[in-house]
Amino acid sequence: MNAFRSFDPKCQRSLLSLFIAGLCFWTSITALLPTLPLYVEFLGGTKQQIGWVMGAFALGLLPARFWFGPLADRKSRKLVLLIGTVVAMIAPWGYLWAKSILLMLCLRAFHGISVAAFTIGYSALVADIAPVERRGEVIGYMSLVAPIGMAIGPAVGGSLQMAFGYDPIFLSSAGFAFLAFLGICQVREPQRDQPTAIPSSTSWRQKGLWYFKMLWSPPLRVPAFVMLMVGLIFGTLVTFLPLSVKESGLNFNSGLFYSTAAIASFLVRVPTGRASDRYGRGLFITGGLICYFLAMLLLSQTTKSNIILFAAALEGMGAGIVIPMMITLITDRCLPEERGQFFSLCLTGFDVGIALAGPIFGSIAEQWGYPTIFALDAVLALIAVISFAGFSSKTVPLSLKFAIGQAKDVYSLN
């Protein structure tokens, strides 16, 4: 916490307000994780339809990323955050009235806009404030909002569903989003240089080519691909884990999986963030991806409650290391006035993974069952490890050294 004590009081208040807002926002989002697939099933949805509805979340995320990234750089991080919280307030009210799969799919896509806005605005604003020499530590602390919110949200959502049904879950989700909105209103955004962004008169085709060129640049393409693999794994867990537990006949609240994962994620973020400032980001990203591999391997082999919780802890460790380390890595690799755009492009890989996970793995689950999709997730995690270890730097030997903490990041601007 020494990093925070070095800030002036106004900056400390902004960080505290931002932290509380982030905590409320992620509680709002994750309260629906263990219950929304069951709600879609309650409405009569098949496994594949459940996959489509849950994957539709990323249909709102994907196009919104390309708009909110430049907006955060050109206008305001705070404005983007406010938009995200407003959407998160509105969407759960729609779930209250939705009685068809098509309407649920549309609402879920709309809800995805909230995460696109909030993650870009939040990550960019924290990176603006964090000093270079303690960047990993500050981002590690501030990224705790996601695991803490995930520890609270699924437990609240699962408990409300079991006790009262679905309506109180949607109301509580909207309520937490409103608290997040109030928190963001208290944040003061620091001044920064304006970006040399694409002119507003540029055609959509030219903008698309520019974004693709940036995405394929050496600093971004491997992180984006790794985030694609992580998104596929995360999308599978969000969509199918509650259904897998239900089908197995276990007397197990699937919300405990997400809560256990969140606790594990919480415990690893601060020490790894601080250590990455000293030992580099590569070693920790590699370790986090290995945790993902082991977690998915365990889920594919067993339906015992204690093993599921152990897999949850490993998955939480993987998420708690990989996601904040990737944000820090991208921060190292771009200028302050480009952060919104770089974050939006890197996180697009994660969004695409979530979008594809539901429909693709839903079809696989229909034919071969849930253990098969978790086994495939283990393969994806292994591919991510190999890709990062072999191609994260300018040459394979340099990449391997960076991935095991024996070389610096050649793309870092620091």
Side-chain angles (χ1 to χ4, degrees), residues 223-247:
F225 178 76
V226 170
M227 292 301 287
L228 170 65
M229 299 295 103
V230 173
L232 285 166
I233 296 169
F234 182 78
T236 306
L237 288 172
V238 168
T239 306
F240 299 111
L241 182 77
L243 300 170
S244 175
V245 170
K246 182 181 177 181
E247 187 178 89

Side-chain angles (χ1 to χ4, degrees), residues 51-283:
W52 278 106
V53 170
M54 298 303 289
F57 194 76
L59 296 180
L61 271 167
L62 285 169
R65 291 279 193 211
F66 293 102
W67 188 64
F68 286 128
L71 182 65
D73 288 336
R74 190 175 63 253
K75 296 291 185 181
S76 167
R77 324 289 203 202
K78 184 174 177 177
L79 173 63
V80 172
L81 284 166
L82 290 172
I83 294 172
T85 55
V86 168
V87 174
M89 279 191 284
I90 296 172
W93 285 96
Y95 298 144
L96 282 170
W97 308 106
K99 301 301 178 185
S100 70
I101 302 300
L102 179 61
L103 185 54
M104 283 296 297
L105 192 148
C106 294
L107 286 168
R108 192 66 179 155
F110 173 70
H111 205 171
I113 296 172
S114 67
V115 174
F118 198 90
T119 51
I120 289 172
Y122 189 90
S123 299
L125 192 52
V126 171
D128 288 344
I129 297 172
V132 172
E133 67 278 5
R134 309 191 81 157
R135 182 173 285 160
E137 182 181 358
V138 173
I139 292 176
Y141 279 121
M142 295 299 292
S143 69
L144 289 173
V145 295
I148 297 175
M150 189 169 283
I152 299 170
V156 170
S159 300
L160 286 174
Q161 191 271 330
M162 293 176 70
F164 305 108
Y166 294 104
D167 287 1
I169 302 170
F170 302 141
L171 292 172
S172 65
S173 178
F176 279 115
F178 176 66
L179 294 176
F181 175 83
L182 295 179
I184 295 301
C185 290
Q186 307 304 312
V187 175
R188 294 188 61 179
E189 183 175 354
Q191 295 292 321
R192 65 181 186 283
D193 294 333
Q194 290 298 306
T196 54
I198 306 176
S200 57
S201 59
T202 305
S203 69
W204 282 105
R205 181 177 177 274
Q206 291 173 313
K207 287 181 180 179
L209 291 172
W210 186 85
Y211 274 121
F212 181 79
K213 184 178 179 181
M214 181 182 284
L215 181 62
W216 193 247
S217 64
L220 264 179
R221 61 188 176 209
V222 171
F225 178 76
V226 170
M227 292 301 287
L228 170 65
M229 299 295 103
V230 173
L232 285 166
I233 296 169
F234 182 78
T236 306
L237 288 172
V238 168
T239 306
F240 299 111
L241 182 77
L243 300 170
S244 175
V245 170
K246 182 181 177 181
E247 187 178 89
S248 69
L250 283 174
N251 185 21
F252 179 78
N253 179 359
S254 57
L256 292 175
F257 179 94
Y258 303 108
S259 297
T260 301
I263 293 169
S265 179
F266 173 87
L267 293 174
V268 301
R269 287 188 185 227
V270 173
T272 54
R274 187 185 300 120
S276 75
D277 289 331
R278 181 175 181 181
Y279 300 109
R281 324 300 183 194
L283 175 65

